[in-house]
Amino acid sequence: MKKIKAYKILEHDYTCRGFKYEIGKTYRLEDEKGKLIEPQLCFQGFHACAKIEQCFKYYPPVEWNILVEVELSGTIVGDEKDKFCSNIIKIIKEIKFSDVKGACDVNGVCDVNGVCDVHGAYYVHG
């Protein structure tokens, strides 16, 4: 089974669009009979980005959001140019924004412990 390492931003309570995640757990998009549902990009499935900086296209790098490394498997649609969507996701680990300081350039300069210009300006961690 093909597996892809990717990145996802979660809310402060480890939710994304109302779905609750936990580090180390695997989640499957299934119907009521336990059969995997086909993912559809931007419609249904578990979405994640190939690169950390791509996440900031969808969510600001503010201190109350949580960046996680994930593993996608099952049926995977999309590509590394924007985002992936799958019917199986495993939440591998949390990544501190301080660990990626200065690691991205998204429509400007991104320094997640200082000032970030991602479709506007966000002030994070002082």
Side-chain angles (χ1 to χ4, degrees):
M1 177 183 301
K2 181 179 178 178
K3 295 180 181 180
I4 294 176
K5 175 180 170 180
Y7 303 92
K8 183 172 188 63
I9 291 188
L10 304 175
E11 301 277 338
H12 69 281
D13 60 357
Y14 284 84
T15 62
C16 182
R17 299 191 179 264
F19 190 89
K20 178 83 170 172
Y21 294 92
E22 288 183 42
I23 301 293
K25 290 207 173 184
T26 300
Y27 301 91
R28 299 167 52 93
L29 181 64
E30 299 176 331
D31 63 17
E32 61 280 346
K33 295 180 181 178
K35 181 180 177 192
L36 284 172
I37 297 171
E38 290 297 310
Q40 295 178 1
L41 200 58
C42 300
F43 182 67
Q44 70 181 4
F46 302 107
H47 291 76
C49 296
K51 299 177 183 173
I52 291 172
E53 61 267 24
Q54 292 168 324
C55 294
F56 304 128
K57 178 179 175 182
Y58 302 99
Y59 298 94
V62 292
E63 62 188 8
W64 53 85
N65 281 342
I66 298 166
L67 175 64
V68 293
E69 179 183 315
V70 301
E71 179 182 88
L72 303 176
S73 58
T75 301
I76 303 169
V77 295
D79 60 54
E80 66 280 343
K81 293 178 186 173
D82 187 25
K83 61 184 171 184
F84 295 106
C85 180
S86 71
N87 52 10
I88 302 174
I89 188 171
K90 180 176 182 178
I91 310 302
I92 303 298
K93 66 180 180 177
E94 182 175 340
I95 301 170
K96 301 291 183 193
F97 282 134
S98 59
D99 293 342
V100 295
K101 180 181 178 187
C104 64
D105 181 3
V106 184
N107 291 339
V109 177
C110 181
D111 174 352
V112 290
N113 275 339
V115 176
C116 184
D117 180 11
V118 184
H119 304 294
Y122 299 96
Y123 187 69
V124 185
H125 293 297

